[in-house]
Amino acid sequence: MTLHIGIIGTGWFSKVHADLLQQIKDVKIQAILGTSKEKAQTMAVKYGAVSYEDVTTMLEQEHLDAVYVCVPPMAHGEIEFALIERGIPFFVEKPLSVDLDLPMRIEAAVRETGLLTAVGYHLRYQKNAEKLKRELSGQTIGMASGCWNGGMPGVAWWRDQEGSGGQFIEQTTHIVDLLRYVAGEVVEVQAMYAGRSMHKLHEGVTVPDVGTVNLKLQNGAVANIMNTCLLPDGVAGRAGLTLYTSEGIWDWNPEQLAVSLTDGQRTTANDNNPYKSETEAFLHALRTGDRSLIRSDYHDALRTQAVTVAALQSARSGERLFISEPANQT
Ligand SMILES: NC(=O)c1ccc[n+]([C@@H]2O[C@H](COP(=O)([O-])OP(=O)(O)OC[C@H]3O[C@@H](n4cnc5c(N)ncnc54)[C@H](O)[C@@H]3O)[C@@H](O)[C@H]2O)c1
């Protein structure tokens, strides 16, 4: 059976997903929705799809098996509710939004309908992330240290606090999600953010450009995740997560996992494309109803969103915040 897929968004990442989907047998990119007919049409021509500029029209005119939602954080809401109302499964890129209130309402509706969803926390699908999770399971994790340090993306919405939610919500969320995946739930956060340079160097920057967040896990482990987006072009940044146990150090970055034990260090390069694996898991669930390969769905991603939004609130208030189960979650 051919799956007919719609894509919402015509930017960088909708094309990454479209390129992957185009290579998969029995998948047809049927419809593309953009903020203008011209943008949608340009992309639709490339993928042999029909273009739309209005979500209701697209969903009423096409019989879509699923939709990929690849819009900036501030643009969520209407799209998800339109999909839920019509019972159309969706894959949505992280983060779920700029705040927690809207994702909580969407999650409640998803839960009520039992709709199939997946969220683009692709690092969970890395072979090395699996290895990290497997090797740490059963150990007592003492401490973790993570980071996402780089330059500032060029798109205007990213630099605007109302548009992206800031770096920790928009980007560093991947590291928070990986920490949750391999080490367990976060129950406390305390954050400090500052705007040091980027608002002086560029117009329209309202996001902080440095931040450090202390976290406590349910199992008692402590962690710190820091991020900056002030590095200049040409200076290599770093994203990673390092975990310390009484057996050694597990030092992960997107390219490799280095494990230091008493008998020396072993390094394993990551050798799979996690974006391909996450899409295959979603398509498998669409075809068979078996959701077991999906490593991040809307319910789970809400917990990562709760942590990153609490960090922002803590940075603003100066308070240490305790994270309860998001109220609507099962
Ligand atoms: N998982 C990952 O590794 C990864 C990597 C990059 C981006 N992303 C995520 O993907 C999302 C999109 O990022 P991007 O880099 O493609 O951004 P982008 O700015 O390149 O593209 C965003 C697109 O969304 C469109 N858009 C905005 N509001 C819309 C609406 N209401 N309806 C339809 N289209 C709308 C814009 O016109 C634009 O085409 C972000 O949430 C980002 O965090 C994830």
Side-chain angles (χ1 to χ4, degrees):
M1 181 190 79
T2 299
L3 294 173
H4 293 85
I5 307 289
I7 296 182
I8 299 185
T10 55
W12 173 39
F13 236 63
S14 55
K15 288 169 190 149
V16 170
H17 285 297
D19 286 344
L20 276 168
L21 287 165
Q22 209 180 26
Q23 292 164 28
I24 299 175
K25 194 168 167 275
D26 293 334
V27 169
K28 166 141 184 54
I29 301 172
Q30 179 65 31
I32 291 180
L33 171 70
T35 45
S36 73
K37 185 79 178 161
E38 294 70 39
K39 282 163 92 178
Q41 182 61 17
T42 306
M43 188 168 156
V45 166
K46 185 172 174 206
Y47 297 99
V50 185
S51 59
Y52 291 92
E53 59 179 334
D54 171 66
V55 69
T56 309
T57 311
M58 178 174 95
L59 299 183
E60 280 174 3
Q61 294 196 358
E62 302 288 347
H63 293 285
L64 300 172
D65 294 302
V67 167
Y68 278 59
V69 183
C70 309
V71 299
M74 77 297 180
H76 291 282
E78 185 194 348
I79 295 168
E80 285 89 339
F81 287 119
L83 292 165
I84 295 165
E85 199 182 309
R86 291 165 180 80
I88 302 174
F90 63 88
F91 174 101
V92 60
E93 264 305 341
K94 45 54 63 180
L96 302 180
S97 179
V98 293
D99 63 14
L100 189 60
D101 294 346
L102 174 66
M104 280 178 70
R105 285 191 283 118
I106 294 173
E107 191 272 343
V110 166
R111 188 157 34 88
E112 207 177 318
T113 56
L115 193 67
L116 169 64
T117 60
V119 182
Y121 284 109
H122 68 285
L123 295 176
R124 291 181 176 222
Y125 297 84
Q126 266 206 348
K127 289 260 178 69
N128 268 352
E130 270 170 37
K131 186 175 159 67
L132 185 59
K133 185 174 172 65
R134 191 173 58 244
E135 293 187 7
L136 289 170
S137 81
Q139 290 198 58
T140 300
I141 296 167
M143 182 175 83
S145 158
C147 67
W148 194 297
N149 298 331
M152 185 172 271
V155 282
W157 61 260
W158 201 97
R159 299 165 174 222
D160 173 14
Q161 183 64 37
E162 304 302 316
S164 66
Q167 186 180 13
F168 204 76
I169 286 176
E170 212 289 327
Q171 203 169 49
T172 317
T173 187
H174 279 301
I175 304 299
V176 173
D177 190 70
L178 186 62
L179 176 73
R180 285 189 52 238
Y181 185 57
V182 302
E185 294 302 340
V186 174
V187 291
E188 283 179 49
V189 297
Q190 183 179 40
M192 287 187 195
Y193 295 175
R196 300 290 298 155
S197 302
M198 298 312 270
H199 65 290
K200 295 182 209 151
L201 297 172
H202 302 282
E203 290 281 311
V205 173
T206 55
V207 292
D209 56 15
V210 293
T212 180
V213 181
N214 290 328
L215 308 107
K216 189 160 185 190
L217 276 61
Q218 201 162 31
N219 59 21
V222 295
N224 173 269
I225 299 179
M226 60 185 240
N227 62 196
T228 183
C229 52
L230 57 59
L231 296 178
D233 288 348
V235 171
R238 177 171 198 271
L241 181 66
T242 307
L243 296 111
Y244 300 82
T245 83
S246 59
E247 292 184 26
I249 303 172
W250 276 255
D251 188 17
W252 172 93
N253 68 43
E255 284 76 43
Q256 65 175 44
L257 175 64
V259 182
S260 301
L261 303 171
T262 43
D263 60 357
Q265 193 187 70
R266 294 174 279 124
T267 299
T268 314
N270 190 63
D271 66 355
N272 75 317
N273 177 349
Y275 296 113
K276 186 162 180 276
S277 304
E278 75 177 351
T279 248
E280 285 170 350
F282 180 58
L283 297 177
H284 171 77
L286 277 175
R287 287 187 197 285
T288 65
D290 170 17
R291 303 181 182 192
S292 63
L293 302 182
I294 293 175
R295 296 188 182 166
S296 173
D297 62 9
Y298 207 95
H299 312 290
D300 190 279
L302 185 65
R303 289 167 174 256
T304 295
Q305 185 77 8
V307 177
T308 59
V309 170
L312 176 63
Q313 288 166 347
S314 169
R316 283 177 169 163
S317 68
E319 289 170 13
R320 174 171 146 199
L321 295 181
F322 296 84
I323 301 178
S324 54
E325 284 277 282
N328 286 342
Q329 282 187 219
T330 45

